[in-house]
Amino acid sequence: MDLEAAHGAAAAPGKQRRRRARESWGASLLLAYQSLGVVYGDVATSPLYVYKSAFAGDDIQHSAGNEEIYGVLSFVFWTLTLISLVKYVLIVLRADDGGEGGTFALYSLICRHVRAGLLPGGGGGGAGDELAVGGRRDARAMSRLRAMLERYRVLQRLLLLFALLGTCMVIGDGVLTPAVSVYSAVSGLELSMEHEHHKYVQLPVTCAILIGLFALQHYGTHRVGFIFAPIVCVWLLCISAIGVYNIVHWNHHVYRALSPYYMYQFLKKTQTGGWMSLGGILLCVTGSEAMYADLGHFSQSSIKIAFMSVVYPALVLAYMGQAAYISQHHSFENAYHIGFYVSVPEKLRWPVLVIAILAAVVGSQAVITGTFSIIKQCSSLSCFPGVKIVHTSSTVHGQIYIPEINWILMILCLAVTLGFRNTKHLANAQGLAVITVMLVTTCLMSLVIVLCWNKSIFLALGFLIFFGTIEVLYFSASLVKFHEGAWVPITLSFIFMIVMCVWHYGTIKKYEFDFQNKVSVNWLLNLGPSLGIVRVRGIGLIHTELVSGIPAIFSHFVTNLPAFHQVLVFLCVKSVPVPHVQPEERFLVGRIGPKEYRLYRVIVRYGYRDVQKDDIEFEKDLVSSIAEFIRSGDSHHNGVLEDTDKSCEKLSSISNGIPLWMEDGEVDASASPHKETDTQIISPNRKKARFVLPKNAQVDSEVRRELQELMDAREAGMSFILGHSYMKAKSGSSFIKRIVINFFYEFLRRNSRGPSYAATIPHASTLEVGMVYQV
């Protein structure tokens, strides 16, 4: 019995590990199934238009040997394999920024490891600053590269501009992908309706679907997300089954085209015409960037499982089946014989048409949602004007809706659809946007390999040269079609780039003005504990962008109205270039001057994926953090005077585990067993704050008095003082600077929303102080 018991005890950990492994695999498989509807809708619908776009020109003449068809199939297969499978699935997905992906996530990852960020306060220090994991190979070359990026401001600006270029192209992709996908899906009416009748139906149906798609965005993807994955699954099953049928029925030798030899034969025979057709072939990898951009919604393993086991085989079969059909129908004069729907058996065309339209809507939805996410990232890091961000899901923080961007995308999408009215020009425009984003990702990824992964610089150069050469080839083929639609993403990117650069430049100048004109703390403290003004009951929250010093707006206020609250809190809300900040690291609390002044500084940090709380929750956490700072004893070390140039404050990271906040007048006895040491505050909104002091805590009378004064001030009310700045270029500035600051930046500021925390502040408690910033 003892031996059996010992054997059972020894086997128990093994059983637990196997059970956890089964649960982990089960969770990964469930996420892989869900990712089909969110991530792969775009790439799954690419067979609708790849062959039609590749043979859209008149330079390729079909031959009886099918070299052209086999060459295009070979290019499609190897492009899908090398770019989507090898580059993104096996390599780029590993470069996550705290679980998040995308072009801007790569940029923030580099900035946190190199300190090359230009954003105010955006160093990423503190929250989420993980050290790079890896070896120390080629450390000398890596240190030289890091030193160059940290030393030269020009390189930092170029790095930011490069990241913004990729971001702008992603936004352009958000305009073009819905137009291309839906228009290509609806083009099946050409073969399903009587001759010429489709011309009167195709464009109105496309526009109606696009309007409906954008009109439904405010409901959020979580409300209709449960039908996305089945739609894409049915679509992939449909195109793979049709592909197998076409291979067996028309040309079962088409597998020979998978040899790279046919790529060489294709370019040798078609020459310039074949090179220009690469602009259409590259559309087979459109949507590959979405695998990386949507990494935050899923896991690396789930995305890999879904692509390698379902999406990749289905797409290969679909492209092979289309090539098998086209190889037996040699007439290229009729565009019907090149499109997707002609390879579908006639009896299945209507059902396939309906499934294709639904799949195109799903793919468009994923790209639109990704555009919302990247706009939020840029806005959080001061690279885009403030916009209204609506969180459509209470469980998935990444599902957001931005009304202004949604309607702008809809108008632009309808404009390009009505303007071009054909798949050829729309595909040319989308191709340039897609390949530009991929080039940006390749360049940034090569920096990540060296600076973040600490790998050999030769490995990074190999990655850059191998994939960069392939993408430059496709980029040149897309750029040459500038007059045939490729000008659209360039124009859109140029406009968005100007908006981003102007906003970022103005934000930097505003921050520099605040920093250079901040008031000396010594001047403030020399006024005495009353600060030379009347101290009234309550808490005054002074919002500032400065992490040290006193903002000029405070002196501007007290000079004209010499009265202020008994407790002053200089509040700085910062967006740091990490996806999420842990709750215990969110609040940094410090003291300015001696205790009797009752001056505190609180820095609140949010990641670019974090959801900011409403005013009630925020007030609760803020007051609780200050109370815990006073109670914990850290405040004894923060009575040092702050110097005018360099902060001597010691800021403590405060967790919100203590004290507690009880709502609706209810007291949870189990939450605090030490009732005799609890102190309650009843605020005007009928909420209760309970600052729980441990029963055996040694709290002196001075700390208790300071806590009581904080509680009394909170009960009296809390006021929010916000600065309302007007930017103006100072005299003697250049003409370009005056235009940028006085007109462009001011126009964007007047038509953008304020900080996100300002939107949740109750208007009755808000006081705005206006100032003119001469920059």
Side-chain angles (χ1 to χ4, degrees):
M1 291 295 292
D2 293 338
L3 290 175
E4 293 178 358
H7 179 73
K15 292 181 179 179
Q16 293 177 357
R17 285 194 297 269
R18 287 193 295 270
R19 184 171 62 253
R20 285 195 296 267
R22 286 195 299 268
E23 292 175 354
S24 176
W25 270 103
S28 296
L29 291 176
L30 179 60
L31 284 175
Y33 171 75
Q34 294 173 345
S35 69
L36 291 174
V38 177
V39 177
Y40 295 111
D42 190 10
V43 70
T45 54
S46 57
L48 288 170
Y49 44 80
V50 167
Y51 280 107
K52 193 170 184 178
S53 301
F55 292 108
D58 300 327
D59 299 325
I60 301 179
Q61 301 296 325
H62 188 79
S63 62
N66 292 323
E67 289 88 354
E68 295 81 8
I69 298 297
Y70 289 170
V72 171
L73 174 59
S74 185
F75 264 106
V76 168
F77 172 77
W78 287 106
T79 303
L80 191 65
T81 301
L82 294 177
I83 300 298
S84 298
L85 179 60
V86 178
K87 176 188 170 183
Y88 279 96
V89 174
L90 299 182
I91 300 177
V92 176
L93 282 181
R94 297 174 55 204
D96 64 301
D97 182 26
E100 301 293 340
T103 305
F104 222 74
L106 276 179
Y107 170 73
S108 66
L109 186 64
I110 294 172
C111 288
R112 287 196 295 111
H113 283 79
V114 184
R115 297 187 183 93
L118 295 171
L119 308 172
D129 244 356
E130 301 89 4
L131 294 176
V133 178
R136 291 289 180 180
R137 287 177 291 178
D138 214 357
R140 185 178 300 175
M142 181 190 66
S143 62
R144 285 200 297 265
L145 182 60
R146 176 181 282 115
M148 288 178 58
L149 284 174
E150 292 180 350
R151 179 180 179 183
Y152 294 104
R153 197 77 169 174
V154 175
L155 294 179
Q156 297 174 10
R157 293 192 178 98
L158 289 176
L159 183 63
L160 176 62
L161 288 175
F162 205 59
L164 292 181
L165 174 62
T167 302
C168 292
M169 284 296 182
V170 170
I171 299 173
D173 193 23
V175 173
L176 296 166
T177 294
V180 176
S181 300
V182 176
Y183 195 90
S184 299
V186 178
S187 65
L189 295 172
E190 294 178 352
L191 300 178
S192 301
M193 299 182 65
E194 294 183 8
H195 192 56
E196 299 296 332
H197 288 185
H198 69 276
K199 293 183 178 180
Y200 306 102
V201 179
Q202 185 174 352
L203 194 61
V205 170
T206 301
C207 293
I209 293 174
L210 290 174
I211 292 174
L213 173 64
F214 285 100
L216 293 175
Q217 290 300 310
H218 70 280
Y219 290 108
T221 56
H222 70 287
R223 296 185 183 274
V224 291
F226 68 95
I227 65 171
F228 282 6
I231 289 175
V232 177
C233 284
V234 172
W235 169 251
L236 291 173
L237 178 64
C238 178
I239 61 175
S240 58
I242 294 173
V244 172
Y245 169 80
N246 286 328
I247 293 171
V248 174
H249 189 266
W250 294 108
N251 186 357
H252 60 275
H253 296 294
V254 74
Y255 69 89
R256 298 174 180 172
L258 302 184
S259 171
Y261 170 77
Y262 285 93
M263 291 191 292
Y264 168 75
Q265 285 293 104
F266 174 75
L267 292 178
K268 180 181 178 181
K269 185 173 182 178
T270 57
Q271 297 182 355
T272 303
W275 168 67
M276 294 183 65
S277 69
L278 295 180
I281 294 173
L282 78 90
L283 295 178
C284 68
V285 293
T286 179
S288 297
E289 186 73 23
M291 289 190 292
Y292 182 51
D294 292 331
L295 182 60
H297 296 193
F298 304 97
S299 62
Q300 294 183 25
S301 60
S302 63
I303 293 178
K304 291 179 180 179
I305 291 171
F307 185 82
M308 299 175 70
S309 62
V310 179
V311 179
Y312 180 74
L315 290 176
V316 171
L317 289 175
Y319 287 121
M320 289 177 65
Q322 282 185 259
Y325 179 88
I326 297 173
S327 66
Q328 302 302 316
H329 299 77
H330 292 176
S331 177
F332 275 19
E333 289 76 14
N334 193 344
Y336 293 166
H337 292 290
I338 310 173
F340 167 78
Y341 288 101
V342 72
S343 64
V344 179
E346 189 172 355
K347 294 181 180 180
L348 299 178
R349 281 177 185 168
W350 275 106
V352 171
L353 173 64
V354 174
I355 298 173
I357 292 175
L358 292 176
V361 170
V362 172
S364 303
Q365 173 68 47
V367 175
I368 295 170
T369 304
T371 304
F372 291 160
S373 298
I374 202 165
I375 290 290
K376 178 181 181 293
Q377 293 179 19
C378 293
S379 181
S380 298
L381 297 179
S382 304
C383 288
F384 199 85
V387 291
K388 181 181 180 180
I389 298 175
V390 180
H391 294 270
T392 60
S393 174
S394 58
T395 57
V396 183
H397 60 269
Q399 294 181 359
I400 60 174
Y401 167 67
I402 305 177
E404 299 94 333
I405 301 299
N406 181 66
W407 302 123
I408 290 175
L409 289 179
M410 187 191 75
I411 293 172
L412 293 175
C413 190
L414 291 174
V416 297
T417 303
L418 294 172
F420 288 140
R421 301 188 181 188
N422 63 72
T423 309
K424 176 183 175 181
H425 291 84
L426 289 172
N428 291 340
Q430 186 191 20
L432 183 60
V434 168
I435 198 62
T436 304
V437 176
M438 291 183 174
L439 265 174
V440 171
T441 300
T442 298
C443 296
L444 294 179
M445 188 64 204
S446 62
L447 292 177
V448 169
I449 292 174
V450 176
L451 300 174
C452 304
W453 292 355
N454 294 339
K455 301 296 183 180
S456 169
I457 194 171
F458 297 106
L459 182 63
L461 287 175
F463 178 88
L464 178 64
I465 294 173
F466 181 76
F467 291 106
T469 302
I470 298 173
E471 290 162 358
V472 166
L473 180 65
Y474 282 113
F475 179 80
S476 62
S478 299
L479 194 61
V480 79
K481 299 180 180 180
F482 181 85
H483 297 289
E484 299 179 4
W487 59 269
V488 172
I490 295 178
T491 305
L492 291 176
S493 299
F494 180 73
I495 294 173
F496 280 106
M497 180 71 81
I498 290 177
V499 171
M500 290 182 173
C501 290
V502 168
W503 185 260
H504 182 71
Y505 177 76
T507 303
I508 291 289
K509 289 299 178 183
K510 180 178 180 296
Y511 178 80
E512 291 176 352
F513 180 89
D514 281 331
F515 185 78
Q516 294 169 1
N517 293 274
K518 65 181 181 180
V519 179
S520 169
V521 179
N522 292 326
W523 168 82
L524 185 69
L525 299 181
N526 287 336
L527 299 177
S530 65
L531 304 182
I533 57 179
V534 178
R535 303 292 290 267
V536 298
R537 294 186 64 202
I539 298 178
L541 286 179
I542 304 164
H543 288 269
T544 175
E545 294 293 323
L546 301 176
V547 296
S548 64
I550 306 300
I553 198 169
F554 175 72
S555 63
H556 181 70
F557 178 84
V558 297
T559 301
N560 294 277
L561 185 62
F564 222 85
H565 302 82
Q566 67 185 102
V567 176
L568 292 180
V569 179
F570 293 95
L571 180 65
C572 178
V573 180
K574 285 293 182 184
S575 291
V576 293
V578 295
H580 307 286
V581 177
Q582 297 299 322
E584 61 271 13
E585 297 181 351
R586 188 173 307 283
F587 287 88
L588 294 177
V589 183
R591 185 192 300 279
I592 302 177
K595 290 186 177 182
E596 59 268 19
Y597 283 69
R598 302 297 188 254
L599 298 178
Y600 306 96
R601 184 182 307 283
V602 179
I603 300 176
V604 188
R605 298 178 293 181
Y606 289 98
Y608 56 76
R609 288 277 192 174
D610 282 332
V611 180
Q612 298 189 15
K613 299 180 179 180
D614 58 21
D615 59 313
I616 296 175
E617 288 293 318
F618 182 77
E619 288 183 28
K620 179 260 292 185
D621 290 343
L622 179 66
V623 176
S624 299
S625 298
I626 297 175
E628 174 64 15
F629 169 75
I630 297 171
R631 187 201 64 80
S632 64
D634 289 338
S635 58
H636 289 296
H637 307 288
N638 289 273
V640 185
L641 297 183
E642 188 183 57
D643 191 70
T644 55
D645 298 323
K646 183 177 179 180
S647 174
C648 296
E649 297 176 5
K650 177 185 176 184
L651 297 178
S652 300
S653 181
I654 302 297
S655 174
N656 287 325
I658 302 174
L660 304 177
W661 179 268
M662 312 304 296
E663 298 185 357
D664 300 327
E666 298 178 358
V667 178
D668 186 2
S670 63
S672 175
H674 312 298
K675 299 178 183 178
E676 64 273 19
T677 57
D678 294 346
T679 305
Q680 297 184 10
I681 303 173
I682 302 178
S683 59
N685 53 22
R686 303 185 64 83
K687 305 285 183 183
K688 285 187 178 181
R690 314 191 81 205
F691 299 107
V692 182
L693 299 178
K695 186 175 182 179
N696 299 324
Q698 299 296 325
V699 179
D700 56 28
S701 58
E702 185 179 358
V703 172
R704 192 175 297 275
R705 184 168 60 252
E706 187 175 3
L707 277 174
Q708 186 62 48
E709 188 170 341
L710 176 66
M711 297 172 189
D712 293 340
R714 175 63 186 90
E715 185 177 1
M718 185 178 292
S719 299
F720 300 83
I721 293 87
L722 302 176
H724 195 80
S725 59
Y726 299 89
M727 297 277 286
K728 187 176 181 181
K730 58 186 177 183
S731 58
S733 300
S734 64
F735 176 75
I736 295 178
K737 183 177 180 180
R738 292 199 302 269
I739 293 295
V740 169
I741 296 296
N742 297 348
F743 294 98
F744 288 164
Y745 180 80
E746 276 298 296
F747 173 80
L748 293 175
R749 185 192 61 80
R750 288 194 300 267
N751 292 277
S752 64
R753 297 180 182 267
S756 55
Y757 59 81
T760 61
I761 294 175
H763 296 290
S765 305
T766 304
L767 178 64
E768 289 192 356
V769 181
M771 276 192 67
V772 178
Y773 282 43
Q774 298 280 348
V775 298

